Amino acid sequence: MKSKTSFLPQEKACSSRCPDNTAFKQQRLPAWKPQLNIATVLSSFFLTGAFCLSVGVCLVLSANSVREIQIDYSDKCSECSKLRENSSNWNKECSCSANFMLEEGILGDVFMYYGLQNFYQNHRRFMMSRSDAQLLGQNANIQQYCAPFATYQNGTPMAPCGAIANSMFNDTIELFYSLNSSVIQVPLLKTGNCWWTDKNVKFRNPKSYNISSAFAGTARPPYWQKPVYLLDVEDERNNGYVNEDFIIWMRVSAFATFRNLYRRVERVGRFADGLPAGNYTFNISYNFPVTKFKGRKHVILSTVVWSGGSSQFLGIAYVVTGSAATLAGFVITAIHLKLRKKKTHFQK
């Protein structure tokens, strides 16, 4: 006959592993257990559908109110494109122009973008080819992860290094307005276009008594026409790694077709209210070749609204979601009425 004491070690082990006898650890806390009825379910679906449809319609109408002009200058600058395909012509200047007419003026703030097609910035090796430590100004000679654009064959480090920086968009675009027999250059703002956190946190120039000495012992990337400390000689605060054109380019796009903010129209003089109707010309200093990867280049003039630009994706997504929720509500209603009818029939 077994002794009762043989169970004591097992009881002690169990008691040592069991949670404390509290409401929280023993899951005795009061909890809300909703009992969903047909009224609650249908009201949730229909309210969600109504909300999403309302927001979606507002977003679509808002996007439709954006004024936008898009000019493809890839073919209009074909001669310059052929010149740039030969890398030995990097120091030769080539310019072209693209004319267009505004039948109606564009009122309000006008933004200028450059657009690229078939340029895959989201390639993993391309995105990794950069040195954030270098861009923070810690050391101009840091080239971690920058291969194959880290140093030249003679050992001179590149500043900035990496594939992203080397492929920076460097076309120069100017806008001119034809008034009677005279031509007026539209004033464009090249600062205030990037994120505040990028300008003041993520990018810094190396500390030195002047910016050129900060990059002493380094060389420009192979595809650049001038060193980083000459990107904007007119504004010291927009030069070097904190140049806004450079900062905007370094924020890579998720898609192969994208646009980046390039300039803003300064609202002064004849352009205080925006761009008046008339004839305009884009003068382009062509430096960025695209034919090797079958790309296209655009320049876009656009306004913005409270919901953003002209993209209707978010509005359409809300409309589709609202329509699906509303349709689901009607389907559930039909199923409920059918089952209730059967239940009533069986009760009779």
Side-chain angles (χ1 to χ4, degrees), residues 140-291:
N141 297 325
I142 297 175
Q143 302 98 31
Q144 188 179 13
Y145 307 121
C146 286
F149 300 99
T151 60
Y152 284 93
Q153 292 182 352
N154 61 2
T156 303
M158 299 180 189
C161 66
I164 307 177
N166 182 60
S167 63
M168 175 182 168
F169 182 86
N170 56 353
D171 284 0
T172 302
I173 306 172
E174 296 176 330
L175 180 61
F176 292 88
Y177 172 57
S178 300
L179 180 64
N180 300 326
S181 58
S182 61
V183 177
I184 304 173
Q185 184 173 2
V186 179
L188 301 174
L189 297 172
K190 54 186 176 182
T191 57
N193 300 324
C194 67
W195 292 12
W196 184 92
T197 51
D198 287 348
K199 181 81 172 181
N200 297 277
V201 179
K202 294 182 64 177
F203 292 82
R204 284 281 189 274
N205 286 325
K207 293 182 179 180
S208 182
Y209 63 92
N210 62 47
I211 191 168
S212 59
S213 63
F215 294 95
T218 65
R220 60 174 176 80
Y223 291 172
W224 285 30
Q225 295 178 312
K226 51 189 176 182
V228 65
Y229 54 85
L230 294 179
L231 290 179
D232 190 351
V233 295
E234 299 176 356
D235 188 354
E236 185 77 13
R237 297 169 299 178
N238 191 44
N239 207 358
Y241 292 149
V242 294
N243 177 263
E244 296 201 12
D245 290 339
F246 173 69
I247 291 174
I248 290 173
W249 177 258
M250 293 299 290
R251 183 175 289 277
V252 297
S253 172
F255 301 100
T257 298
F258 62 93
R259 63 175 64 178
N260 284 335
L261 182 59
Y262 181 68
R263 296 289 184 268
R264 291 178 294 125
V265 174
E266 186 176 6
R267 298 178 63 177
V268 294
R270 292 185 176 275
F271 310 100
D273 297 325
L275 293 179
N279 295 317
Y280 290 85
T281 301
F282 283 118
N283 280 358
I284 302 160
S285 178
Y286 197 103
N287 299 305
F288 193 87
V290 295
T291 53

Side-chain angles (χ1 to χ4, degrees), residues 3-162:
S3 174
K4 294 182 179 180
T5 57
S6 61
F7 295 98
L8 288 177
Q10 184 177 358
E11 291 176 358
K12 289 182 179 180
C14 178
S15 62
S16 64
R17 293 194 302 268
C18 290
D20 297 335
N21 189 22
T22 62
F24 176 76
K25 293 187 176 181
Q26 294 296 337
Q27 301 184 16
R28 293 196 301 266
L29 290 174
W32 179 56
K33 299 179 181 179
Q35 299 294 329
L36 298 179
N37 52 33
I38 189 62
T40 304
V41 173
L42 290 180
S43 60
S44 300
F45 273 94
F46 285 121
L47 288 175
T48 301
F51 173 78
C52 291
L53 285 173
S54 301
V55 174
V57 170
C58 291
L59 290 174
V60 170
L61 294 176
S62 177
N64 287 336
S65 65
V66 172
R67 289 289 308 279
E68 182 174 298
I69 302 295
Q70 180 169 303
I71 306 295
D72 186 330
Y73 64 92
S74 303
D75 297 332
K76 296 178 181 180
C77 300
S78 57
E79 295 299 324
C80 292
S81 178
K82 293 178 182 178
L83 179 70
R84 286 288 175 257
E85 290 304 321
N86 188 349
S87 59
S88 62
N89 297 325
W90 67 270
N91 59 344
K92 295 181 180 180
E93 296 184 1
C94 188
S95 300
C96 55
S97 60
N99 303 319
F100 67 98
M101 184 181 67
L102 286 180
E103 296 182 357
E104 296 182 1
I106 302 178
L107 301 179
D109 294 327
V110 182
F111 299 83
M112 180 187 293
Y113 302 83
Y114 62 84
L116 292 176
Q117 287 185 0
N118 208 38
F119 191 96
Y120 290 85
Q121 283 190 316
N122 61 346
H123 192 283
R124 187 184 66 84
R125 294 184 64 186
F126 181 84
M127 294 175 61
M128 294 293 293
S129 183
R130 60 186 290 165
S131 172
D132 290 323
Q134 185 191 52
L135 299 176
L136 281 170
Q138 295 177 2
N139 188 341
N141 297 325
I142 297 175
Q143 302 98 31
Q144 188 179 13
Y145 307 121
C146 286
F149 300 99
T151 60
Y152 284 93
Q153 292 182 352
N154 61 2
T156 303
M158 299 180 189
C161 66

